[in-house]
């Protein structure tokens, strides 16, 4: 099956940060639903591990593309590989991100650490969205969808999280701007803000996380599969409909009333 034939039989997604956590869960959910998925991440081995989790015979194909989203050349190569293999891009799940060094007071945060978080969470999200936008604008049929992975931290911070929180607030502005600018071309852009999905990155939540009052307390988590199903719902809406912002969180986590 050539690229054009593939595009006619399966919707095409790019998932960044697809080697673990939320990105892995979303990629597998899409593959199970028959999407073809370009798996992007820094480690090819973990991307191949994600691909292996999808059951055979679902109709979705995948490619693993080693990508550092903070590098423009890597992002350009990712989208070129996706279009070469599948013919188009219908969805970008803009998921790659990093917390940076945890628990570091703002006055002690090294500039290099700040820059790494900004380069990954904000600059990387912009570069991927820009590449997706260019492709979606030019392809036939025109259009597609971008879903940015925000965070509860796009609404309110945790202690000692200045870099992560700043980038996630900025991501909300990116989402709004892209959503407005994409209207003439059938490009729908939304954001999912996630709180305490159970992944390796959030394992410490169950043992104890620093609260705004200075206490350390365990926090509830939720199944990451619930996040993946929400992203799939957003992704499979017709382009005439859009979930602009969705918040999915462990019901009893300290968010409403945090602080």
């Amino acid at each position: 099956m050539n690229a054009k034939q593939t595009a006619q039989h399966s919707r095409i997604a790019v998932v960044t940060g697809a080697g673990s956590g939320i990105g892995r869960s979303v990629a597998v959910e899409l593959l199970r639903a028959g999407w073809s998925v370009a798996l992007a991440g820094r480690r090819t081995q973990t991307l191949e591990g994600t691909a292996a989790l999808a059951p055979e015979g679902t109709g979705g194909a995948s490619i693993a593309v080693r990508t550092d989203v903070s590098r423009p050349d890597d992002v350009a190569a990712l989208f070129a590989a996706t279009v070469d293999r599948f013919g188009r891009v219908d969805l970008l799940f803009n998921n790659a991100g990093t917390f940076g060094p945890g628990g570091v007071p703002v006055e002690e945060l090294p500039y290099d650490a700040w820059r790494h978080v900004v380069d990954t969470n904000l600059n990387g999200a912009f570069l991927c969205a820009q590449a997706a936008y260019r492709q979606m604008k030019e392809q036939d049929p025109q259009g597609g969808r971008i879903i940015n992975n925000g965070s509860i931290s796009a609404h309110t911070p945790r202690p000692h999280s200045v870099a992560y929180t700043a980038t996630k607030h900025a991501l909300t502005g990116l989402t709004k701007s892209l959503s407005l600018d994409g209207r003439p071309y059938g490009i729908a852009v939304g954001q999912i803000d996630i709180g305490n999905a159970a992944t390796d990155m959030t394992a410490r939540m169950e043992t104890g996380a620093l609260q705004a009052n200075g206490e350390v307390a365990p926090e509830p988590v939720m199944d990451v599969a619930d996040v993946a199903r929400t992203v799939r719902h957003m992704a499979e809406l017709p382009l005439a409909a859009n979930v602009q912002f969705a918040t999915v969180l462990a019901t009893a986590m300290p968010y409403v009333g945090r602080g």
Side-chain angles (χ1 to χ4, degrees):
M1 184 178 290
N2 62 33
K4 290 184 178 180
Q5 290 173 322
T6 302
Q8 291 171 355
H9 286 81
S10 177
R11 287 166 289 190
I12 313 304
V14 174
V15 177
T16 66
S20 62
I22 291 167
R24 169 172 280 186
S25 184
V26 168
V28 171
E29 177 72 17
L30 293 173
L31 286 166
R32 286 174 175 163
W35 287 70
S36 292
V37 182
L39 307 167
R42 296 184 186 222
R43 297 181 297 278
T44 304
Q45 185 175 2
T46 60
L47 298 175
E48 292 171 347
T50 297
L53 293 174
E56 295 183 5
T58 59
S62 66
I63 55 170
V65 185
R66 187 184 179 281
T67 308
D68 180 341
V69 297
S70 70
R71 297 178 178 272
D73 289 348
D74 278 20
V75 173
L78 166 64
F79 282 84
T82 303
V83 174
D84 182 63
R85 173 66 175 82
F86 297 121
R88 60 182 287 113
V89 175
D90 297 298
L91 171 69
L92 164 65
F93 182 45
N94 222 350
N95 167 72
T98 180
F99 284 129
V104 179
V106 61
E107 69 273 18
E108 298 176 13
L109 184 69
Y111 176 72
D112 287 348
W114 164 273
R115 183 63 183 267
H116 175 65
V117 175
V118 172
D119 280 346
T120 303
N121 295 4
L122 180 57
N123 295 342
F126 164 73
L127 289 170
C128 290
Q130 183 183 56
Y133 188 102
R134 287 169 172 163
Q135 174 60 33
M136 291 171 179
K137 181 179 176 181
E138 298 302 324
Q139 64 195 10
D140 184 20
Q142 189 181 63
R145 190 180 303 275
I146 299 169
I147 301 174
N148 292 324
N149 184 351
S151 171
I152 294 299
S153 291
H155 301 262
T156 190
R158 290 185 177 277
H160 306 322
S161 66
V162 64
Y164 185 76
T165 299
T167 58
K168 292 303 184 178
H169 275 63
L171 201 62
T172 297
L174 180 69
T175 297
K176 290 178 179 179
S177 241
L178 290 169
S179 183
L180 178 61
D181 292 346
R183 287 178 184 175
Y185 311 109
I187 301 171
V189 185
Q191 181 169 312
I192 184 167
D193 296 323
I194 302 162
N196 287 18
T199 67
D200 291 342
M201 189 177 288
T202 60
R204 63 184 179 85
M205 299 297 180
E206 293 183 274
T207 58
L210 181 64
Q211 305 298 308
N213 64 1
E215 295 180 358
V216 175
E219 295 187 10
V221 297
M222 63 176 171
D223 191 335
V224 70
D226 294 324
V227 175
R229 284 190 289 269
T230 304
V231 173
R232 179 184 164 196
H233 167 71
M234 295 169 71
E236 292 185 344
L237 288 171
L239 291 178
N242 187 42
V243 176
Q244 187 68 72
F245 292 96
T247 303
V248 183
L249 71 163
T251 302
M253 74 169 288
Y255 163 57
V256 177
R258 183 188 289 182

